[in-house]
Amino acid sequence: MPSLHANGIEIHYAETGVGGQPLLLVHGTLGDQRSFAAQMAPLAAAGFHVMALSMRHCWPGNWPTEGGDFRIDTHVADVAAFIDALRRGPMALLGHSRGGHIAIRVAERHPTLLRALILAEPGGEFDASLGGKPASAGQASAFTAAADLIAAGDEEGGLKVVAEHTGGPGAWERRPEERKAISRANARTMLGQRNEQRRPYSRAAVATIRTPTLFLYGANTRPNFVANVEALSGAIAGSKVVMIPNATHGLTFENPADFNAAVVGFLQAL
């Protein structure tokens, strides 16, 4: 498994399609590089050098602390340092959920590193300047409850809380075993999200993004994720929005064919 030293740590990643245009994938909460297993080969076949990161402390890493460095800002710095260390020039960046939040912050703070931005139901809160109801409304209490359960030894209970927060009642039971295994391998990273102190998006900051941007959301996702996409896409000039049919918040798993086609179509049109 390849890794690259950046921002003071070894960042592990999966890759395929070496030699193509670089495309970096950033997973969400309870995920790791395996979260994009259904994207790797198809995107490589379309001509991209696909790299899926495992963020710090996520599998195959470990959880040595209570997560003082498991922060959006730290992960933004990790991604920026990883891109810089590759020395491949500006590249496409795709983030899902929490990874979408990270990707937006990279675009805000390090615009010269990116040639394209793809945001699949990005997480995060927004302030009054963007209006509406953020996708993460109630997230702090849900994630704290989940982390407390995991810390107390009830891993399955904690993972169920997170799954139902993003996917509704019964979401954990409906997930295939391979997806549950990824969540279990990263369960203790929830300890780092109990007090992550995420700053909300503002219209002024998001509007500075000039990178060509695509938003993706599942046709059957929860309404608050749609609201997040609508608010953020409305603030990024020229951004495009594509609905992925037959999918909820787990759209990379649930409908990879249409998800991958939307990504490839967007990037090939640039």
Side-chain angles (χ1 to χ4, degrees), residues 46-72:
F48 298 98
H49 175 193
V50 189
M51 292 162 283
L53 298 184
S54 283
M55 302 309 296
R56 69 166 66 205
H57 299 321
C58 297
W59 182 94
N62 54 31
W63 188 255
T65 69
E66 283 294 303
D69 60 349
F70 199 87
R71 296 279 188 269
I72 289 288

Side-chain angles (χ1 to χ4, degrees), residues 114-187:
L114 305 184
R115 64 177 289 267
L117 181 64
I118 302 168
L119 304 168
E121 297 200 5
E125 299 179 344
F126 41 82
D127 67 16
S129 68
L130 283 166
K133 181 180 180 181
S136 54
Q139 179 168 290
S141 59
F143 278 19
T144 296
D148 289 346
L149 287 169
I150 291 167
D154 184 5
E155 183 179 279
E156 291 289 304
L159 295 176
K160 180 178 179 179
V161 169
V162 177
E164 293 196 344
H165 174 72
T166 58
W172 178 249
E173 289 76 12
R174 290 192 297 270
R175 288 188 178 178
E177 281 303 315
E178 59 268 27
R179 188 176 176 192
K180 287 182 178 179
I182 294 171
S183 294
R184 291 183 183 117
N186 294 289

